[in-house]
Amino acid sequence: MNRVVLVRRAEATVAHELADDGTVAGATRFPAEELAGFVRDRDTSPVRWVWDDTTRWYPGLLEAGVRVERCTDLRLCRAVLRRSPFVDRSLLGGDDAGGWDALEPVTAADPALFPLADPADRLDPVAEHQRQQAALAASAERGRLGLLLAAESSGALVAAEMTHAGLPWRADVHDRLLTELLGPRPAPGHRPAALERLLPAIREGLGAPQLNPDSPGELLRALQTAGLPVADTRSWTLEQLDHPSIPALLEYKKLVRLLQANGWNWLDTWVRDGRFRSYFLPGGVVTGRWASNGGGALSVPLQVRPAAVADEGWRFVVADVAQLEPRVLAGMSGDAAMAEAARATDLYQGMVASGAVATRAEAKVGMLGAMYGGTRGESGRMMPRLTRRYPRAIGLVEEAARAGERGEVVHTLLGRGSPVPTGAWAERAVALGEPPDEGGSREDRDRHRRAWGRFTRNFVVQGTGAEWALCWLADLRNRLWRLGDAGTVSERAHLVFFLHDEVVVHTPAELADDVIDAVRRASAEAGRLLFGGFPVDFPLDVSVVESWADAD
DNA sequence: CTGACTTGCGCC
DNA sequence: AAAGGGCGCAAGTCAG
């Protein structure tokens, strides 16, 4: 694969064509405004674009109507490499190592806000690429690691394309929904009518005529003064109480949440030209999951999803994997019995059918406990049976937990490493074995140790799940592109939303069946990439809908 | 006053 | 009934 390293300099943009051995074979210089034309012409023959950071290059290209097939995102790849236990970190050193480590993605909506003195402009992408290639080549796990780097970079392209396209959003539908639930939009600083109407019942019920329920402290004191035994004001806590003011209070909290998180201000801020635009940040979470920035894209409540409506003549294809993480656990541990249960569309039902557990509820709570480290109650009781039935799967997460408790680094299937634990308990755990009593009680240290073990336990599964999802996205992106024969990314079937194990594709209605096929094939391909021939299935729930809310 | 932290709750 | 892992965000609260 031919590689071209793009370098941004004050006087010009430089495209370095690399030879197979990674040395620079030639360079083309051109003014920054000619970038899109250059990339459009060059991308017609197979090329991997190498650049410092996708968020600094790709939005402008997309704006100019240019899609690229593949890239290497040095910022993201470096973050993977420097944490991976498969890599000799010393190979990543260099004068500007600190600069690379400190590089942040750009998420400013307005290109004019782009910093004039971007620290990225002082870095040398050619040298960094060579360091990364050397580190990869020296790794005993270069196959897996290489796949992870390619997938991570591909995710960066998907993320930029999703931000560019935006999620179709009907502000009028959203406004109607808000008005029905809250009343007309109030003047700034005023409560909506529905909240005002609930106030008297709350205040009278608690005997606090001046109470402002928006203040947690005030509310807590009022509840306690009314004789209610509560230590906090969480909805779940309040639901346990039998008191006449509680229903109105719960209703009030629910509506306030809607108003604050996804009310008219949210609409004003995040929805423009019929699109909800937020930034997706690949690798934004230590486990490799994506983070998001702007508008709370990772938690678009079901309540407002009716406002996500496909364009006229278009549809959403909504697809999610049922029980992604237990399936991933079956695959990465090579647990044949759990893979057998995963043959069912509902893995938990598969566990029941095989006689491992009696009910679906037991299967679910048991598996969640195994992956999250639940030891108490129902899930704790399930563990011995699960361990007997699925020794490799349960053994893998148990070992990850023990390693974490010892202060060790764990890694995902493809080699993403967990952070090195900090804090007194961990330093001593590594250096001295059992620590002497120093700085915090023994109970404190044990609590921290166990908490870190739950984190590493979850890390291996959540992180490998994120790798499966990256492979799924990357393959799907390419399949969707090939469904069209003309037009830009957002003029063809394209991704508009991704959350851990769920995608939303915006597609011309007549291509919906082809998109379903693409989504399923990409899912199968992701399983092959990660687990080879090991027989673990990743069945999808797929719907074709006009509104996101109608997906099941 | 600003910035850091906490609380509560939405998503997987 | 959650618990147990990972997030982002708005508003309130508190320290300086």
Side-chain angles (χ1 to χ4, degrees), chain A residues 298-373:
Chain A
L298 264 52
S299 55
V300 180
L302 299 171
Q303 211 176 10
V304 299
R305 291 189 190 183
V309 179
D311 287 352
E312 191 72 37
W314 289 56
R315 296 289 183 275
F316 289 138
V317 174
V318 182
D320 71 285
V321 198
Q323 307 106 22
L324 172 62
E325 290 178 355
R327 289 170 195 279
V328 161
L329 176 57
M332 68 191 296
S333 64
D335 191 309
M338 177 137 287
E340 174 62 35
R343 212 93 69 226
T345 310
D346 181 340
L347 177 138
Y348 299 135
Q349 208 58 57
M351 290 169 65
V352 176
S354 73
V357 290
T359 65
R360 187 182 187 282
E362 280 184 355
K364 181 173 180 175
V365 81
M367 284 309 296
L368 290 180
M371 294 185 300
Y372 292 157

Side-chain angles (χ1 to χ4, degrees), chain A residues 261-330:
Chain A
N262 297 99
W264 291 280
N265 288 342
W266 181 91
L267 261 179
D268 289 349
T269 309
W270 299 111
V271 178
R272 285 190 321 277
D273 305 324
R275 296 289 187 269
F276 167 36
R277 291 174 203 279
S278 59
Y279 293 91
F280 292 88
L281 304 176
V285 179
V286 282
T287 59
R289 274 188 173 181
W290 291 18
S292 78
N293 189 265
L298 264 52
S299 55
V300 180
L302 299 171
Q303 211 176 10
V304 299
R305 291 189 190 183
V309 179
D311 287 352
E312 191 72 37
W314 289 56
R315 296 289 183 275
F316 289 138
V317 174
V318 182
D320 71 285
V321 198
Q323 307 106 22
L324 172 62
E325 290 178 355
R327 289 170 195 279
V328 161
L329 176 57

Side-chain angles (χ1 to χ4, degrees), chain A residues 428-452:
Chain A
R428 284 197 299 273
V430 172
L432 305 172
E434 262 325 281
D437 192 19
E438 179 200 332
S441 67
R442 182 184 180 81
E443 288 72 34
D444 276 356
R445 294 197 307 273
D446 286 347
R447 210 175 52 247
H448 280 115
R449 204 191 319 279
R450 282 193 300 271
W452 194 260

Side-chain angles (χ1 to χ4, degrees), chain A residues 9-14 29-32:
Chain A
R9 288 293 173 257
E11 61 286 1
T13 297
V14 190
R29 307 173 75 84
F30 46 84

Side-chain angles (χ1 to χ4, degrees), chain A residues 5 116 143 303 372 446 517 529 543:
Chain A
V5 187
L116 294 173
Q303 211 176 10
Y372 292 157
D446 286 347
D517 187 58
L529 280 169
S543 339

Side-chain angles (χ1 to χ4, degrees), chain A residues 450-472:
Chain A
R450 282 193 300 271
W452 194 260
R454 286 194 297 276
F455 167 66
T456 52
R457 169 196 294 272
N458 187 249
F459 181 95
V460 295
V461 181
Q462 186 184 118
T464 306
E467 286 165 354
W468 181 92
L470 272 181
C471 292
W472 183 38

